[in-house]
Amino acid sequence: MSTWIASMGWQGALNILAIIALVVGIPCSFFIKFTPELAGAKPFGHKEQEEDEAGVQQASTKAVLHSAAFWIVTLLMCVLQFPSVANQMFPTYAAAVGFKATVGGFMVTAAMIFDIFLNPLFGSSADKFGAEKASLGWMTVGLVSLILLVVATNAKAAGLAIFAAGLNDIIYVFLGTGITALAQATFGPRAFAKGFSMVGTVSFVVGAFAMPVNNMIAEKFGGFNAVFIFFGILMVVSMILVMIGSKEHFEEK
């Protein structure tokens, strides 16, 4: 994409991308079929019942909303919306620092490659050590990646920036695999379904404003180091929330 943009401009590159999406997407939409039944599930809203398929008595919506577990997980997911969009900012970051456009592209590529391995690694560590301990460990890795990005920015080190971008993908992983595992531990089987769905409803509204806020910080403070420091503060806040949440499990309260 970076090469196409450099040679033919944004419009030409996006036209090619649109054609590729059309050629790949239409056959998939016609010939690839997937339904909830194929996954052994029922469509969302299929039936209202107080017990799930395993016969577990489900908590009421009121009980979930009045629990500390719900608000801790909600706040955690809202806070993580801001650093989790770093992948989308890397091309802009590379241009602002003075790297070649291909460096910004390779930063995104590195993040996607790391994503392949970090997702199962997070899952296996959560299985072995528990969701809370695994979250704290991987959040520390996220903090390290932010420090490396600051160093790469100051040293104008493109290679280090690309590696740090790959490592930084753990924050994005946490907003998917990580937060799900953590929410299961915090809510428990009775409140997870209702609690986690409501958490997503609130947090993704906040997430819609993450990019504008991050870009505003970069503009106001004259660079992306301020953004990475902001992300680092949010990661520390997230770690504190995880520690508080470990003592506020829904089932135990």
Side-chain angles (χ1 to χ4, degrees), residues 188-226:
R190 294 195 309 117
F192 174 73
K194 287 182 181 178
F196 197 55
S197 63
M198 291 187 289
V199 165
T201 300
V202 175
S203 63
F204 287 122
V205 172
V206 174
F209 299 94
M211 283 291 287
V213 170
N214 294 342
N215 286 325
M216 182 186 70
I217 292 173
E219 292 170 4
K220 292 290 185 182
F221 292 91
F224 277 83
N225 276 350

Side-chain angles (χ1 to χ4, degrees), residues 10-77:
W10 282 97
Q11 188 175 21
L14 291 176
N15 283 337
I16 291 178
L17 184 61
I19 292 170
I20 292 173
L22 195 69
V23 171
V24 174
I26 288 180
C28 288
S29 67
F30 280 118
F31 301 113
I32 297 178
K33 299 184 181 299
F34 184 79
T35 63
E37 285 77 9
L38 290 175
K42 298 292 184 182
F44 182 77
H46 175 71
K47 58 183 178 180
E48 293 291 335
Q49 58 182 19
E50 288 302 312
E51 293 187 352
D52 64 11
E53 296 298 325
V56 177
Q57 184 74 23
Q58 295 297 290
S60 68
T61 301
K62 181 179 179 181
V64 173
L65 289 174
H66 282 77
S67 68
F70 172 77
W71 294 106
I72 291 169
V73 176
T74 299
L75 183 56
L76 176 61
M77 201 164 176

Side-chain angles (χ1 to χ4, degrees), residues 72 75-81 83 135-136 139 171 174 182 231-245:
I72 291 169
L75 183 56
L76 176 61
M77 201 164 176
C78 287
V79 166
L80 287 170
Q81 295 293 329
S135 296
L136 292 173
M139 283 180 175
I171 302 175
F174 189 83
L182 189 65
F231 289 170
I233 293 170
L234 294 182
M235 292 305 296
V236 172
V237 171
S238 298
M239 295 171 76
I240 293 172
L241 287 172
V242 171
M243 288 186 282
I244 295 173

Side-chain angles (χ1 to χ4, degrees), residues 27-183:
C28 288
S29 67
F30 280 118
F31 301 113
I32 297 178
K33 299 184 181 299
F34 184 79
T35 63
E37 285 77 9
L38 290 175
K42 298 292 184 182
F44 182 77
H46 175 71
K47 58 183 178 180
E48 293 291 335
Q49 58 182 19
E50 288 302 312
E51 293 187 352
D52 64 11
E53 296 298 325
V56 177
Q57 184 74 23
Q58 295 297 290
S60 68
T61 301
K62 181 179 179 181
V64 173
L65 289 174
H66 282 77
S67 68
F70 172 77
W71 294 106
I72 291 169
V73 176
T74 299
L75 183 56
L76 176 61
M77 201 164 176
C78 287
V79 166
L80 287 170
Q81 295 293 329
F82 296 91
S84 70
V85 297
N87 290 2
Q88 301 173 42
M89 303 182 70
F90 288 146
T92 306
Y93 157 80
V97 173
F99 293 137
K100 293 181 179 179
T102 48
V103 172
F106 276 122
M107 290 178 75
V108 177
T109 300
M112 296 176 71
I113 292 173
F114 271 65
D115 195 76
I116 296 171
F117 303 100
L118 288 175
N119 271 291
L121 280 174
F122 189 103
S124 61
S125 63
D127 289 337
K128 185 172 183 179
F129 303 108
E132 283 100 350
K133 290 182 180 179
S135 296
L136 292 173
W138 287 111
M139 283 180 175
T140 303
V141 174
L143 272 175
V144 171
S145 74
L146 294 168
I147 294 171
L148 292 178
L149 283 169
V150 172
V151 173
T153 302
N154 294 338
K156 296 292 191 293
L160 180 59
I162 292 171
F163 172 75
L167 202 61
N168 182 261
D169 185 73
I170 188 60
I171 302 175
Y172 181 77
V173 167
F174 189 83
L175 201 62
T177 305
I179 196 69
T180 304
L182 189 65

